[in-house]
Amino acid sequence: MTETDALTFECALDAPPEKVWRALTVPEYLERWLKPEQEIELAVVTAEENKSLTYRWREAGQGAVVGMEDSLVTFELTPTSDGGTWFRLTHAPMAVPVAANSNGPLMMAA
């Protein structure tokens, strides 16, 4: 996957950003809302309360398995004039640096 492989979804929600934020940050609510098909491991990368949240996302038990990429999942919340939330979700692969001993770009720059 490359950054151009990012998936973006947008929609209007009938709840204010504060309520959507709770659904994204309280583990029990997040699990019910996302209902993932497989277990996932999440780690917060960045957070701006009630506005933006980025998780590092990985299938549980995958660790650093070759071919299994971590993703960055970013949720952006924008209040709407009717008291709701404009919701934007972007799911993108994480950039993985090339190892220095792989004769890749980092080695060539040395």
Side-chain angles (χ1 to χ4, degrees):
M1 276 176 129
T2 65
E3 284 192 30
T4 58
D5 293 326
L7 300 173
T8 301
F9 303 94
E10 295 180 292
C11 66
L13 300 175
D14 290 333
E18 297 79 15
K19 188 170 184 177
V20 177
W21 180 262
R22 283 193 306 273
L24 294 171
T25 57
V26 175
E28 302 83 46
Y29 297 162
L30 181 63
E31 185 176 326
R32 274 190 268 159
W33 197 37
L34 289 180
K35 297 180 185 174
E37 292 180 16
Q38 70 272 348
E39 189 176 340
I40 55 174
E41 297 172 0
L42 298 174
V44 174
V45 176
T46 62
E48 185 177 354
E49 189 171 357
N50 299 325
K51 294 182 180 183
S52 177
L53 177 65
T54 299
Y55 283 114
R56 179 186 52 78
W57 177 295
R58 173 188 295 168
E59 274 188 51
Q62 294 303 315
V65 176
V66 175
M68 296 301 295
E69 298 178 354
D70 287 359
S71 299
L72 291 178
V73 178
T74 301
F75 301 93
E76 297 171 87
L77 312 176
T78 305
T80 58
S81 61
D82 63 357
T85 302
W86 184 252
F87 177 84
R88 179 182 172 103
L89 180 155
T90 303
H91 189 147
M94 285 182 66
V96 179
V98 177
N101 63 353
S102 69
N103 294 326
L106 291 178
M107 183 60 143
M108 291 170 45

